[in-house]
Amino acid sequence: MSHPVEDDRTGMVGATELRARFARSLSTLYGTEVPAYTTLVEVSEAVNADVLAAMGPEAERLGSIERVTAERHGAIRVGTPDELAQVARVFGACGMHPVGFYDLREADRPIPVVSTAFRPVDPAELAANPFRVFTSLLVVDDRRFFDATTQARLEEFLAARRLFPDELLDLADLAEKQEGLSSYDAERFIELAAASFALSAEPVDRAWYDHLESISSVAADIGGVTSTHINHLTPRVLDIDELYRRMTERGITMIDRIQGPPRTSKPDVLLRQTSFRALAEPRAFREPDGSVVQGELRVRFGEVEARGVALTPEGRALYDERGIDAFPDTEPELHDAGLAYYRRDEDGRLQPIVYEDFLPTSAAGIFASNLTSDGSVDARQRAAARDAAWLQDALARPLHDPYPLYAAQAD
């Protein structure tokens, strides 16, 4: 459903504008907390300008330069189904709906979370502002990671914290109910929402954090602190290989490689991602004797992405089984083979449908490349059952399958 940006008669701020303001507010916040993110944005914008100058209108086939420049995806991590349901209420106020189920426990380097992405689902809303937040939930009862004692302590720790104030949740519910907020309430909503994702100055219990980090750095980042925070904020770039080169030239240490499909002469498909390595950030620690000392943690990093055309289920199966080399060389061949989603414009020309979602292998690869601990997994133990149906129950709202959304755009 599309929402009005602002109704001049009522002064209401709709979900589209709330989402745009929320994305800008988080970008300002994250730039303050992680200055290298600002460099990443500047380099991305420079690369995009150069690609546009070189390619002209062809550079905008997967989105206008205004959309690409404004585009961000964020990532957060929560600890309980209740926290996830509260996140869904906050994002729901901004017209962002949960799409897709990702199980990062099955990655080459397993991570004890399942995830979804909150984003717009209406094509007009995506064109207006496609802000997405990849949201991961800790699976505390998975015995491959957590023994019974650790699980019990995690549950106690997580139950005692409060990520979002009641005022924010009430405003979120009001925004969904009436499809917007008054100007005053909108400002208050954005203020409270952004503050909820700021890095906390609360001292970290060193012994507890270290115990969780020995299992998984991601588990420590979720269950070892008293709040959530933006883990990364990601601009979109039109040439990620050039971005990687320019960031390296500036002396910023990037992860070892670009995740996702390798660069070829074939049409760009799905998603390519990379990041600079997690930076040391000052944090206060509470020692076992009760004293508070200054230290540092490396958990947050700067990610960047390049997006291609969305693949059909058949195209995705081919990609997962055989890789990009098995694909045709041209977009008409991709379309005719039923491997990717396209629509025809008024002149009958094929226009690609942008891939708006994520790749679990790439997400896990980005996470793993920035971990400070290899962690430990006991594959002999019981895995906790998690699937899309379970996640939808936890969300307390529909979980969208991305394929019908793409098919509707193509139709």
Side-chain angles (χ1 to χ4, degrees):
M1 176 184 295
S2 297
H3 299 271
V5 172
E6 188 162 350
D7 189 324
D8 291 335
R9 296 166 299 168
T10 64
M12 293 289 285
V13 179
T16 311
E17 179 63 16
L18 284 175
R19 183 170 66 257
R21 292 185 190 183
F22 186 36
R24 290 196 297 267
S25 182
L26 287 180
S27 188
T28 299
L29 169 69
Y30 199 59
T32 301
E33 295 180 339
V34 183
Y37 162 76
T38 302
T39 302
L40 185 64
V41 171
E42 291 171 352
V43 175
S44 297
E45 291 178 350
V47 170
N48 290 342
D50 290 346
V51 172
L52 183 63
M55 296 182 61
E58 185 69 16
E60 299 183 275
R61 291 190 72 242
L62 284 159
S64 69
I65 194 64
E66 291 80 15
R67 170 185 162 160
V68 171
T69 300
E71 192 160 341
R72 298 288 185 274
H73 97 243
I76 63 168
R77 300 162 176 172
V78 296
T80 70
D82 285 345
E83 291 178 352
L84 181 67
Q86 291 174 2
V87 163
R89 292 159 66 186
V90 174
F91 294 153
C94 299
M96 298 161 66
H97 309 276
V99 180
F101 172 80
Y102 307 90
D103 194 339
L104 273 59
R105 300 175 299 165
E106 305 306 320
D108 290 339
R109 293 179 64 182
I111 298 169
V113 298
V114 294
S115 309
T116 190
F118 291 89
R119 67 169 177 87
V121 296
D122 180 273
E125 292 293 292
L126 286 164
N129 187 291
F131 184 48
R132 320 167 186 83
V133 180
F134 190 81
T135 303
S136 299
L137 171 65
L138 193 63
V139 185
V140 299
D141 58 338
D142 195 315
R143 282 290 175 270
R144 294 174 298 178
F145 301 91
F146 309 110
D147 60 29
T149 301
T150 302
Q151 177 191 344
R153 188 172 176 192
L154 264 172
E155 291 173 340
E156 179 182 10
F157 182 91
L158 293 168
R161 73 182 187 181
R162 181 74 171 171
L163 298 185
F164 307 103
D166 288 338
E167 183 184 0
L168 172 61
L169 297 175
D170 289 344
L171 286 171
D173 294 343
L174 180 63
E176 282 202 278
K177 180 180 179 180
Q178 63 186 22
E179 296 190 356
L181 292 171
S182 70
S183 294
Y184 174 83
D185 283 344
E187 289 184 13
R188 182 62 175 158
F189 172 83
I190 297 301
E191 177 186 358
L192 291 169
S196 296
F197 297 104
L199 195 65
S200 172
E202 181 74 17
V204 176
D205 183 326
R206 187 186 294 277
W208 174 231
Y209 192 97
D210 286 351
H211 171 66
L212 290 177
E213 191 171 39
S214 70
I215 301 168
S216 164
S217 292
V218 172
D221 187 46
I222 299 172
V225 296
T226 57
S227 66
T228 190
H229 46 251
I230 307 171
N231 184 256
H232 59 259
L233 202 59
T234 303
R236 181 175 165 191
V237 71
L238 296 175
D239 186 339
I240 199 167
D241 300 274
E242 177 63 13
L243 179 285
Y244 191 99
R245 186 187 69 79
R246 293 190 192 185
M247 290 292 287
T248 302
E249 278 186 350
R250 289 194 176 207
I252 295 177
T253 303
M254 306 294 286
I255 63 172
D256 293 340
R257 65 186 182 89
I258 296 170
Q259 303 284 331
R263 182 161 195 167
T264 69
S265 60
K266 299 176 186 289
D268 293 332
V269 303
L270 297 173
L271 175 72
R272 304 182 72 207
Q273 298 170 276
T274 193
S275 80
F276 60 73
R277 289 200 178 277
L279 303 174
E281 297 181 280
R283 300 290 288 274
F285 288 87
R286 181 172 288 107
E287 301 290 4
D289 63 4
S291 63
V292 175
V293 301
Q294 291 300 309
E296 61 183 33
L297 288 178
R298 292 178 179 268
V299 296
R300 304 201 300 170
F301 47 90
E303 187 177 318
V304 64
E305 65 187 18
R307 292 188 172 270
V309 64
L311 298 183
T312 63
E314 294 78 12
R316 183 59 185 273
L318 179 64
Y319 172 78
D320 289 343
E321 292 168 8
R322 298 175 56 192
I324 192 67
D325 290 340
F327 278 62
D329 292 330
T330 68
E331 289 190 318
E333 289 174 309
L334 267 181
H335 172 263
D336 292 344
L339 298 176
Y341 290 106
Y342 291 87
R343 62 176 177 83
R344 291 196 182 274
D345 63 20
E346 58 273 13
D347 298 318
R349 294 173 298 193
L350 288 176
Q351 300 295 334
I353 305 297
V354 181
Y355 185 65
E356 306 286 357
D357 296 291
F358 297 91
L359 303 175
T361 300
S362 295
I366 293 282
F367 282 14
S369 296
N370 286 286
L371 297 181
T372 54
S373 165
D374 289 336
S376 60
V377 180
D378 186 349
R380 300 168 299 175
Q381 300 298 319
R382 172 184 58 81
R386 296 290 188 274
D387 58 18
W390 182 95
L391 191 64
Q392 179 168 269
D393 287 343
L395 288 161
R397 62 184 60 211
L399 175 64
H400 294 266
D401 181 338
Y403 289 113
L405 297 176
Y406 293 125
Q409 289 188 64
D411 291 342

